[in-house]
Amino acid sequence: MSEPVLSVRGLRIWYGTDRGAVRAVDGVNLDLRPGETVGLVGESGCGKSTLGRGVLGLLPEGSSAVGEVNYKGRNLLALKPRELRKLRGPDLGMIFQEPMTRLNPLMKVSQHFEETLKTHEPSLGKKAARARALEALRGMGIPPTRYGQYPHEFSGGMRQRIMIALALVLRPAVIVADEPTTALDVLVEAQIIRILADLRANFDTALLLITHNLGIVAEACDRVAVMYAGRIVEKGPAYDVTSKPAHPYSRELLRSTISLSTTSLHSIPGAPPNLVDPPPACRFHPRCPDAMRVCAKDWPPSVDLGAGRRSECWQSARDRIPAGLEAPLEREALAVAEEA
Ligand SMILES: Nc1ncnc2c1ncn2[C@@H]1O[C@H](COP(=O)(O)OP(=O)(O)OP(=O)(O)O)[C@@H](O)[C@H]1O
Ligand code: SF4
Ligand SMILES: [Mg+2]
């Protein structure tokens, strides 16, 4: 396996609020290798976007972070804003969910590309810049004839593809795409996923793909990280995790995905916890159908399952459970969670 291009170690990110610190990312380790796509999944509010931004050193206002995000021998969290800005674009790219808020309505598509390329690759001549821009747009299915148009002249799906082309024109080594296809129809979604796959094949780009769609993960990702309440609870090869999840949360999340073969939709009882004051020990224990007494008492170990898989669950470390704590967790605790 190749060396990671980006490696996250012990990352914690929290937001200061009147109610206390929201621990949105709470001790995450993650590697991204050149040319691989890693899916990041989990319910709403589990910290995916916060982690996605943190991976690029792009912390939102009002947040603090500790830990390391290592990229080319440097910890992004320790860089000055000016140094970080230089990396943004040519090294680190981000694709956001709402394209309209990121494109300037007063600027033509051509101007967006010219400005981006001038800022990050000033040595590129005007003609070469135009050629690069048109190539990136063509890759996204936007014909050259539309280069001189304004953002409002495009459909939502096209604007999103323009945004992606803008991120890709600089050929960054790492891209974080935060639900890039959620607002799009299924056909455009499939097209974008295909384009992103070509991209990593052609330029060795490492992609962190945040998505609610587990179908996309199975289809387009090499590995997947399942996030719950600020932690990555399971990670491993996408096929293995989506076909045979080890962690109860991954399993429940998969079951709650709409499947064409089942008519009923299962949803996980309860909701992700308040991250100001999350449950002690395993954060999933109030909702977990497999919870044991130990799960409410001690933090579960992160267990290496081999073949690049890890699961943070007592079920994978039964030999380490102290005597008497293997019994199922009393059901009252679960009933309370279901009512909440
Ligand atoms: N600026 C902020 N100030 C305070 N709390 C925040 C802020 N941004 C996010 N949070 C909180 O941090 C937690 C994680 O949020 P985040 O947006 O990272 O989750 P997410 O997994 O991306 O959710 P979604 O799937 O809905 O996009 C949530 O509890 C959220 O309410
Ligand atoms: S540690 Fe216990 S509560 Fe947590 S996911 Fe595993 S079995 Fe469920
Ligand atoms: Mg999000």
Side-chain angles (χ1 to χ4, degrees):
M1 230 190 264
S2 55
E3 281 295 300
V5 57
L6 190 133
S7 89
V8 174
R9 289 292 172 267
L11 181 62
R12 289 175 205 276
I13 304 174
W14 62 95
Y15 298 100
T17 72
D18 299 343
R19 294 166 292 123
V22 178
R23 291 186 272 161
V25 172
D26 205 8
V28 161
N29 299 326
L30 187 68
D31 287 336
L32 293 176
R33 295 190 174 77
E36 82 168 344
T37 298
V38 177
L40 182 61
V41 298
E43 287 165 291
S44 186
C46 284
K48 303 181 298 297
S49 295
T50 306
L51 175 59
R53 297 179 69 95
V55 159
L56 301 179
L58 267 173
L59 293 179
E61 204 141 309
S63 68
S64 324
V66 297
E68 289 176 21
V69 178
N70 297 305
Y71 174 75
K72 289 191 177 163
R74 296 198 282 177
N75 179 5
L76 298 183
L77 298 181
L79 293 186
K80 295 194 175 71
R82 191 173 47 84
E83 296 171 305
L84 201 54
R85 255 198 311 276
K86 264 199 229 151
L87 294 177
R88 205 147 304 137
D91 288 80
L92 311 169
M94 175 112 197
I95 298 169
F96 295 93
Q97 194 181 341
E98 320 84 22
M100 208 44 193
T101 57
R102 306 281 158 177
L103 290 171
N104 183 341
L106 300 177
M107 276 165 64
K108 292 178 183 171
V109 169
S110 53
Q111 292 170 300
H112 282 90
F113 279 89
E114 281 159 17
E115 197 174 284
T116 300
L117 285 163
K118 203 164 80 193
T119 309
H120 294 289
E121 292 187 37
S123 60
L124 204 65
K126 225 177 155 172
K127 233 170 122 187
R130 183 186 156 87
R132 269 272 287 281
L134 290 179
E135 180 201 327
L137 283 166
R138 203 169 20 245
M140 285 287 153
I142 310 282
T145 47
R146 311 207 52 177
Y147 194 47
Q149 293 186 323
Y150 287 93
H152 72 264
E153 298 177 76
F154 293 88
S155 69
M158 286 179 121
R159 281 199 293 267
Q160 181 65 328
R161 283 181 278 150
I162 292 168
M163 274 305 305
I164 295 175
L166 253 180
L168 304 187
V169 76
L170 297 170
R171 298 170 183 163
V174 178
I175 293 185
V176 174
D178 192 352
E179 310 215 28
T181 60
T182 307
L184 306 176
D185 66 61
V186 191
L187 280 177
V188 179
E189 184 170 51
Q191 189 180 17
I192 288 181
I193 295 303
R194 240 187 340 266
I195 291 162
L196 290 174
D198 286 350
L199 171 88
R200 70 191 159 115
N202 293 336
F203 298 111
D204 244 1
T205 307
L207 175 66
L208 182 68
L209 181 64
I210 301 174
T211 176
H212 273 104
N213 186 334
L214 282 159
I216 287 186
V217 169
E219 192 185 325
C221 297
D222 303 298
R223 290 194 299 132
V224 59
V226 182
M227 196 162 183
Y228 185 72
R231 305 275 304 173
I232 288 179
V233 295
E234 177 168 7
K235 59 187 167 191
Y239 177 79
D240 300 353
V241 174
T242 53
S243 60
K244 217 168 173 288
H247 195 284
Y249 179 64
S250 316
R251 191 188 66 215
E252 295 298 307
L253 195 65
L254 264 166
R255 281 183 65 203
S256 70
T257 309
I258 301 169
S259 146
L260 293 176
S261 57
T262 59
T263 42
S264 64
L265 177 62
H266 164 84
S267 73
I268 312 175
N274 175 349
L275 294 178
V276 173
D277 187 20
C282 176
R283 289 182 177 173
F284 190 50
H285 84 256
R287 304 171 74 193
C288 180
D290 301 350
M292 299 171 283
R293 290 174 66 189
V294 66
C295 305
K297 199 173 165 293
D298 294 322
W299 193 281
S302 171
V303 182
D304 185 345
L305 304 175
R309 281 183 88 166
R310 289 196 92 86
S311 175
E312 194 173 86
C313 174
W314 281 112
Q315 292 289 355
S316 302
R318 294 189 75 104
D319 54 332
R320 287 190 242 168
I321 300 176
L325 296 182
E326 319 88 334
L329 186 67
E330 291 72 11
R331 289 290 129 182
E332 294 89 285
L334 293 174
V336 170
E338 262 175 64
E339 275 161 28

